[in-house]
C-alpha cells in the first residue's frame, strides 16, 4: 500500500488534535508515515502510533525553533525523498500552508490548501474545500506531481487505529536558505485553560455589542459553563477588547465547531467566512434585522446583557 | 542607493457582492465588481511607511490580472506608490497559485527589487501561500505574516503573531515580506493623490516580456484542478424568538434539546 506523509504539529512532543485528524484522512489514501520535527519530536510516537502511523520519522535540531519555516521545508523534503509518498498532508495553520507550498514548488507538485474533507479518487485524492466565505463547496485534485494538501482542523473524527509507529531518525541537510530569517525572540502565548479555538467543539463569541473589555467576562462565563473556547469579531479585537488570537473570520481563525454562539455580532461576510460551516449556529442580537439571523438554527432577539447571564445561570443550574 | 520596493497587489471580486464561479470553474470576474484586495492595501500602506523612513525609496506596485486589474493599480498609485506594472495576457486565464508565483517572480526580477511586500492572503482565493512561494522562487528570506514591520540598514525586522507564540523576526535584504491586517490601517487616497496617480507610469508586460510560455501558466498549465463547485444549500430557517424576559432560558432549552447541555 502507498505511503502518505503526514506532517506533525506538536508542542514539545504533545501532538495537537488536527494532526490526529490528518491520520484518519491519510488512512483513506494509504499508510500514514508521520514526520515530527524539533524539540520532543520522538515523544510524539506513542500518540501517532495509536492513531495509525506505521512509521514516525523524527529529527531534532535548534534550527527549527531559531529560523522561520525553511528548516521545516528542508526536513519535509528529506522525508519526501526517502519515502516517495502518494501524498503529503499538512495541518492548515498559517505556517503549515507556507511549509506545504514551498515543498510543493520544490517537488514540482500542485498544492491544495484548507481542505475540509479528503477521499481517495481514480486520479488521486479528491479534496473538498469551501469557497467565497463558505457559500460554495468545491472538489479539487492535484493535476501534476504528488498531491500536497493542507487540511483544516475539525475536518475528520479522530479514530484510534493502532499501528507500529516505529521511530526512525530522519537525515536532514539544511539548505542555504534555511537560516535566512532568524527568530530573535519568542513570547509564548499564555494558556487560558480553555480549549483551543480551532479545535473546540463549542465556540462562544462576542462582538461590538459586548461594548467593552470589561464586559467580556460575561462571554467567558457562558463559554466556561459549556467548556467552550472564546471567540471575538474583528470589531471587538480592533477595539482592543479581546486578543487577536481569538478573532474568528477571514483574517482570524476559521472554526467549524458543533455549536457556535454569536453574541452582539452582526454577521458580516468576513466574519461568516470563519464560522459558517459550524454545525449548529445560535445568535443573540438586539437587532432582528442583523444578517447573522439568516444563519442561525436558534436566535434570540434581545439584549445580550440580559440573555447571556440568564443562559449561563440556567446551564449551570441544569448541570447541577 | 535607492530602496526598491515591489508591492504585489491583486484585483479581486468584491467580497460583499454575489461571488461565484464561471462555467470553467475559475473565479467569475465579469459579473461582480472588482477592486484592490483590501488585504493588499495594508501592504501598500507599509511600503509607504517604509519608504518614508528611508532616505530614498521607490515603490512599484505589481499585479497579474485581467484588463480591469488596472483599477487596483490606480488605487495603489493614488495611495502614493510611484509606478505600476501590469502583467496581462489572455493565456493567464485560470492560473493557479504555483503559476501566479512564477509570473510574479519573473516580473519582480525583471523590475529589480530589494524588498517585496505582499498581503497576507487574497480575499478571493484566501490561500496565503504566494509570499512563501515568491521567497522560494527568488531564493531570498521570507519574513511573512507580520503585524509590525520596519527596515533599517538593509535589515528587515518584524513581529509575527503565531498560534502558539509571538515571534520577532529578522532578515537581510533582499527579502519577501507579507503583512497582516493588524499592521495598521491603510490610508485613503487624497484628492491630490488621485490626480497625481493619473500621470504615474503603468507598464504593461505580457508573457513574452517575461520569457514565459503559455503552457507554463493558465488553466492548462495549472497544477491543481477544480472538478466541481456547488452552491452551499441555504441553511434551513431557524427558530427566532424575541426576548421577553425568558430568552436565556428558552435558549438553554434549545441547547438541552440538542444535547449540548
Ligand atoms: C479585509 C477584511 C477582513 C476582515 N476580517 C474579519 C474577520 O476575520 N473577522 C471579523 O469578525 N470581521 C472581519 N472583518 C470586519 C467585518 O467586515 C465586520 O466589520 C465585523 O465583523 C463587525 O463586527 P461585529 O459584528 O462585532 O460588529 P457590528 O457589525 O458593529 O455588529 C455589532 C452587533 O451587535 C449588536 N448589538 C449591539 N449591542 C447589543 C446588545 N447589548 N445586545 C445584543 N446585541 C447587541 C448590534 O445589533 C450589531 O448587530 C474584516 C473586514 C475586512 C474589510
Ligand atoms: N495575481 C496576483 N497579482 C499580484 N499579487 C498577487 C496575485 N495573487 C496573489 N498576490 C499576492 O500574494 C498575496 C497572497 O495571495 P494568496 O496566496 O493568493 O492568498 C496577496 O495578498 C498578494 O499580495
Amino acid at each position: 500500500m502507498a505511503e502518505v506523509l503526514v506532517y506533525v504539529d506538536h508542542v514539545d512532543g504533545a501532538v495537537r488534535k488536527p494532526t490526529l485528524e490528518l491520520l484518519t484522512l491519510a488512512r483513506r489514501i494509504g499508510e500514514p508515515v508521520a514526520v515530527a520535527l524539533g524539540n520532543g519530536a520522538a515523544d510524539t510516537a506513542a500518540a501517532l502510533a495509536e492513531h495509525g502511523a506505521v512509521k514516525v520519522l523524527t529529527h531534532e535540531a535548534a534550527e527549527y525553533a531559531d529560523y522561520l519555516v525553511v528548516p521545516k521545508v528542508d526536513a519535509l523534503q528529506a522525508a519526501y525523498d526517502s519515502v516517495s509518498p502518494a501524498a503529503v498532508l499538512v495541518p492548515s495553520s498559517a505556517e503549515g500552508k507556507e511549509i506545504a507550498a514551498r515543498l510543493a514548488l520544490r517537488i514540482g507538485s500542485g498544492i491544495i490548501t484548507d481542505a475540509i474533507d479528503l477521499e481517495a479518487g481514480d486520479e488521486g485524492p479528491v479534496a473538498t474545500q469551501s469557497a467565497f466565505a463558505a457559500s460554495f463547496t468545491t472538489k479539487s485534485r492535484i493535476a501534476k506531481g504528488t498531491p500536497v494538501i493542507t487540511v483544516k482542523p475539525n475536518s475528520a473524527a479522530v479514530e484510534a487505529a493502532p499501528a507500529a509507529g516505529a521511530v526512525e531518525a530522519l537525515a536532514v541537510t539544511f539548505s542555504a536558505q534555511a537560516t535566512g530569517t532568524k527568530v530573535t525572540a519568542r513570547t509564548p502565548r499564555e494558556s487560558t485553560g480553555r480549549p483551543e479555538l480551532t479545535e473546540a467543539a463549542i465556540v462562544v463569541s462576542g462582538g461590538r455589542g459586548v461594548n467593552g473589555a470589561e464586559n467580556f467576562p460575561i462571554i467567558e462565563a457562558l463559554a466556561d459553563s459549556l467548556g467552550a473556547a472564546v471567540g471575538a469579531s474583528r470589531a471587538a479585537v480592533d477595539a482592543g477588547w479581546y486578543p487577536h488570537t481569538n478573532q474568528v473570520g477571514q483574517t482570524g481563525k476559521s472554526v467549524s465547531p458543533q455549536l457556535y454562539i454569536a453574541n452582539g455580532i452582526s454577521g458580516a461576510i468576513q466574519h461568516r467566512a470563519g464560522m459558517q460551516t459550524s454545525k449548529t449556529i445560535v445568535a443573540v442580537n438586539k437587532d432582528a434585522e442583523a444578517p447573522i439571523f439568516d444563519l442561525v438554527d436558534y436566535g434570540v432577539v434581545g439584549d445580550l446583557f440580559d440573555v447571556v447571564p440568564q443562559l449561563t445561570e440556567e446551564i449551570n443550574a441544569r448541570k447541577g | 542607493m535607492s530602496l526598491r520596493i515591489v508591492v504585489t497587489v491583486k484585483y479581486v471580486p468584491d467580497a460583499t457582492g454575489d461571488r461565484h464561479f464561471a462555467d470553467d470553474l475559475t473565479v467569475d470576474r465579469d459579473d461582480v465588481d472588482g477592486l484592490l484586495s483590501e488585504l493588499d492595501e495594508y501592504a501598500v500602506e507599509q511600503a509607504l511607511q517604509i519608504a518614508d523612513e528611508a532616505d530614498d525609496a521607490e515603490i512599484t506596485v505589481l499585479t497579474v490580472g485581467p484588463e480591469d486589474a488596472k483599477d487596483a493599480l490606480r488605487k495603489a498609485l493614488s495611495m502614493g506608490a510611484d509606478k505600476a506594472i501590469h502583467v496581462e495576457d489572455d493565456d493567464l486565464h485560470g492560473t493557479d497559485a504555483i503559476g501566479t508565483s512564477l509570473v510574479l517572480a519573473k516580473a519582480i526580477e525583471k523590475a529589480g527589487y530589494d524588498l517585496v511586500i505582499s498581503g497576507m492572503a487574497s480575499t478571493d482565493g484566501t490561500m496565503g501561500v504566494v509570499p512563501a512561494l515568491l521567497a522560494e522562487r527568488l531564493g531570498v528570506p521570507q519574513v511573512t505574516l507580520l503585524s509590525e514591520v520596519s527596515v533599517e540598514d538593509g535589515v528587515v525586522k518584524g513581529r509575527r503573531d503565531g498560534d502558539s507564540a509571538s515571534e520577532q523576526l529578522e532578515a537581510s535584504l533582499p527579502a519577501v515580506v507579507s503583512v497582516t491586517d493588524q499592521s495598521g490601517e491603510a490610508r485613503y487616497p487624497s484628492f491630490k493623490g488621485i490626480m497625481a496617480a493619473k500621470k504615474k507610469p503603468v507598464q504593461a508586460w505580457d508573457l513574452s516580456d517575461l520569457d514565459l510560455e503559455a503552457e507554463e501558466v493558465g488553466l492548462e498549465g495549472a497544477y491543481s484542478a477544480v472538478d466541481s463547485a456547488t452552491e452551499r444549500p441555504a441553511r434551513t430557517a431557524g427558530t427566532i424568538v424575541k426576548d421577553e424576559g425568558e430568552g436565556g432560558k428558552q435558549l438553554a432549552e434549545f441547547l438541552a434539546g440538542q444535547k449540548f447541555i
Side-chain angles (χ1 to χ4, degrees):
Chain A
M1 202 167 164
E3 289 169 314
V4 176
L5 268 192
V6 173
Y7 181 85
V8 177
D9 185 7
H10 69 97
V11 181
D12 297 329
V15 180
R16 293 182 59 180
K17 187 165 150 256
T19 301
L20 301 179
E21 296 165 4
L22 275 193
L23 290 171
T24 299
L25 295 175
R27 282 189 281 110
R28 296 184 187 163
I29 310 168
E31 288 192 323
V33 173
V35 183
L37 306 172
N39 192 30
D43 299 339
T44 61
L48 297 170
E50 171 72 28
H51 294 91
V54 296
K55 227 185 319 184
V56 181
L57 306 175
T58 65
H59 187 244
E60 294 198 24
E63 278 82 350
Y64 298 118
D66 293 349
Y67 299 93
L68 192 72
V69 173
V70 188
K72 293 169 181 163
V73 182
D74 290 344
L76 192 55
Q77 187 180 14
Y80 173 85
D81 290 340
S82 78
V83 172
S84 302
V88 182
L89 305 185
V90 181
S92 237
S93 60
E95 181 182 68
K97 289 202 274 189
E98 294 184 331
I99 294 170
R102 295 186 72 141
L103 175 78
L105 191 55
R106 287 186 186 185
I107 65 177
S109 292
I111 175 162
I112 289 174
T113 54
D114 295 326
I116 54 169
D117 199 7
L118 207 56
E119 297 288 346
D122 296 340
E123 298 168 274
V126 177
T128 306
Q129 292 165 286
S130 300
F132 301 150
S135 53
F136 279 82
T137 305
T138 62
K139 294 214 186 272
S140 311
R141 67 196 149 75
I142 296 297
K144 290 185 197 166
T146 305
V148 179
I149 301 172
T150 79
V151 182
K152 282 198 188 185
N154 279 343
S155 294
V158 173
E159 291 167 7
V167 177
E168 272 179 36
L170 179 68
V172 180
T173 314
F174 291 119
S175 64
Q177 265 76 50
T179 53
T181 308
K182 194 163 174 38
V183 180
T184 55
R186 174 177 289 114
T187 319
R189 188 151 58 87
E190 275 177 44
S191 166
T192 58
R194 296 197 179 89
E196 198 62 43
L197 186 53
T198 51
E199 300 169 13
I202 302 180
V203 175
V204 176
S205 288
R208 202 195 302 274
V210 176
N211 199 27
E214 68 279 10
N215 299 327
F216 253 88
I218 298 174
I219 304 299
E220 293 179 330
L222 174 57
D224 292 343
S225 75
L226 291 163
V230 176
S233 73
R234 179 163 132 179
V237 170
D238 282 355
W241 302 342
Y242 223 66
H244 180 251
T245 43
N246 296 73
Q247 184 178 311
V248 172
Q250 188 186 7
T251 55
K253 301 272 158 52
S254 153
V255 302
S256 198
Q258 297 297 313
L259 172 64
Y260 187 85
I261 307 184
N263 303 288
I265 292 176
S266 63
I269 185 82
Q270 295 90 354
H271 187 79
R272 283 153 59 165
M275 48 66 72
Q276 192 150 345
T277 57
S278 305
K279 260 250 165 71
T280 299
I281 298 176
V282 167
V284 178
N285 194 307
K286 65 181 182 191
D287 175 10
E289 304 293 313
I292 191 79
F293 285 125
D294 296 343
L295 299 181
V296 300
D297 296 286
Y298 199 90
V300 179
V301 179
D303 193 323
L304 71 89
F305 293 98
D306 298 328
V307 178
V308 173
Q310 189 181 69
L311 172 60
T312 309
E313 199 178 308
E314 185 69 20
I315 292 169
N316 287 330
R318 286 182 188 233
K319 286 197 302 193
Chain B
M1 217 193 73
S2 169
L3 179 70
R4 296 165 302 168
I5 306 175
V6 177
V7 186
T8 60
V9 299
K10 190 175 183 186
Y11 177 75
V12 297
D14 187 346
T16 58
D18 180 21
R19 293 181 295 178
H20 54 269
F21 290 91
D23 290 342
D24 64 356
L25 299 180
T26 60
V27 175
D28 191 322
R29 297 178 193 282
D30 295 333
D31 289 354
V32 187
D33 284 344
L35 76 184
L36 166 62
S37 170
E38 281 138 325
L39 293 174
D40 293 343
E41 290 183 16
Y42 295 91
V44 176
E45 177 61 38
Q46 289 310 310
L48 291 167
Q49 291 188 22
I50 288 167
D52 271 348
E53 293 294 317
D55 295 336
D56 179 20
E58 183 181 56
I59 302 173
T60 304
V61 284
L62 165 65
T63 196
V64 173
E67 164 88 49
D68 291 344
K70 277 192 183 57
D71 293 353
L73 294 175
R74 280 289 164 223
K75 170 100 190 256
L77 290 173
S78 61
M79 286 173 73
D82 299 301
K83 56 190 180 101
I85 298 170
H86 184 182
V87 183
E88 187 193 356
D89 198 305
D90 288 345
D91 290 324
L92 281 167
H93 176 79
T95 307
D96 63 0
I98 299 273
T100 301
S101 71
L102 172 65
V103 180
L104 286 171
K106 288 273 188 186
I108 290 164
E109 276 171 334
K110 186 175 159 97
Y113 72 102
D114 301 298
L115 179 62
V116 177
I117 308 184
S118 300
M120 65 186 286
S122 53
T123 55
D124 55 348
T126 67
M127 292 180 76
V129 297
V130 164
L133 290 170
L134 287 178
E136 179 72 34
R137 288 199 186 271
L138 297 168
V140 303
Q142 81 166 70
V143 199
T144 47
L145 298 173
L146 303 181
S147 42
E148 217 172 74
V149 58
S150 65
V151 175
E152 212 176 325
D153 301 330
V155 174
V156 51
K157 293 185 186 176
R159 191 182 83 236
R160 171 169 164 131
D161 296 323
D163 276 351
S164 55
S166 173
E167 296 168 330
Q168 293 292 337
L169 305 178
E170 193 176 305
S172 301
L173 298 185
V176 175
V177 159
S178 77
V179 298
T180 73
D181 61 340
Q182 296 290 300
S183 59
E185 270 317 298
R187 70 193 64 185
Y188 286 104
S190 63
F191 179 70
K192 212 173 119 207
I194 293 169
M195 295 315 286
K198 296 195 165 128
K199 298 198 194 76
K200 290 177 179 172
V202 179
Q203 266 188 67
W205 290 347
D206 63 13
L207 288 177
S208 66
D209 289 316
L210 300 176
D211 295 323
L212 288 169
E213 303 292 334
E215 306 83 72
E216 295 177 81
V217 297
L219 213 44
E220 296 308 315
Y223 283 76
S224 43
V226 181
D227 289 331
S228 72
T230 37
E231 198 156 0
R232 227 183 140 74
R235 293 186 78 104
T236 41
T239 310
I240 296 180
V241 299
K242 194 168 172 339
D243 177 39
E244 273 154 1
E246 299 283 298
K249 288 190 180 147
Q250 287 167 287
L251 188 43
E253 191 57 41
F254 168 78
L255 295 179
Q258 303 285 312
K259 307 267 181 286
F260 288 114
I261 310 177

